[in-house]
Amino acid sequence: MGTKHTRASVQTILNSSRDFRGLDLSRLDLSDMDFSGCDMRHTVLRETNLCRCDFTRTDLCHAMMDNAIMDHAILVHTQLFCTGMRNINLTTTQIRVTDLRHVTFGNSILDGLDLSNVNFRFSRASYPQMKGGNLTNADFTQTMLMGANFSNAN
């Protein structure tokens, strides 16, 4: 059985290797932590409180983030390729120049996000609700839009 992590053990990793690959950090309160530049590939963050966390230049490819709380989180130059982000409200999240290819956003809320002119790649991702967002110059190549709601989006 794997190690049961705590906020303190996560802080220890942040202060040393910054390598979280494959760790299960589900259901922890990690709010206000700086994960910038961390390797978090295949990390499990289900139902984790990630409010106000900074993920600038973090590799979250193949991470499982379903039901995470991400109010005011920062995703700038973040790698999210093939990440599961179901049932997440990203309305207050800062997202820029981020790789969103093959991300699953089932039942997530992306209302009001400004995704214009920021080099987003949406191919093969699902986006069910993005009301009032700015999608100017967004690339939806091969995007699955079943059940999507883009009302009042630009």
Side-chain angles (χ1 to χ4, degrees):
M1 187 168 164
T3 303
K4 178 65 179 159
H5 290 280
T6 63
R7 185 176 176 92
S9 69
V10 169
Q11 187 62 57
T12 299
I13 296 169
L14 280 172
N15 293 339
S16 59
S17 70
R18 302 182 72 79
D19 185 350
F20 292 90
R21 283 178 292 176
L23 297 183
D24 186 347
L25 306 177
S26 296
R27 296 177 193 85
L28 292 178
D29 179 0
L30 303 178
S31 57
D32 299 299
M33 295 188 109
D34 183 356
F35 292 100
S36 58
C38 288
D39 187 346
M40 298 184 84
R41 290 174 285 168
H42 300 278
T43 301
V44 180
L45 296 159
R46 288 186 179 112
E47 299 178 27
T48 302
N49 183 348
L50 302 170
C51 292
R52 297 171 304 281
C53 287
D54 187 346
F55 293 99
T56 301
R57 300 193 187 285
T58 299
D59 189 343
L60 282 158
C61 294
H62 300 277
M64 295 305 303
M65 302 176 76
D66 299 346
N67 300 301
I69 304 165
M70 298 192 67
D71 299 341
H72 301 283
I74 300 170
L75 299 168
V76 177
H77 293 282
T78 305
Q79 297 298 314
L80 292 165
F81 180 79
C82 287
T83 298
M85 298 183 83
R86 293 168 192 86
N87 303 311
I88 294 178
N89 184 339
L90 296 172
T91 303
T92 61
T93 303
Q94 179 183 347
I95 303 176
R96 288 196 323 262
V97 195
T98 295
D99 184 354
L100 294 172
R101 292 175 298 148
H102 303 278
V103 172
T104 304
F105 279 115
N107 297 318
S108 289
I109 301 170
L110 289 81
D111 292 349
L113 289 179
D114 184 356
L115 304 179
S116 63
N117 302 304
V118 290
N119 300 323
F120 273 83
R121 294 175 293 217
F122 293 124
S123 63
R124 297 185 186 167
S126 59
Y127 301 89
Q129 183 172 315
M130 187 181 282
K131 296 178 187 174
N134 187 345
L135 305 173
T136 307
N137 299 320
D139 179 1
F140 285 93
T141 304
Q142 297 181 351
T143 301
M144 181 176 25
L145 295 172
M146 295 186 322
N149 183 343
F150 293 109
S151 58
N152 298 318
N154 296 339

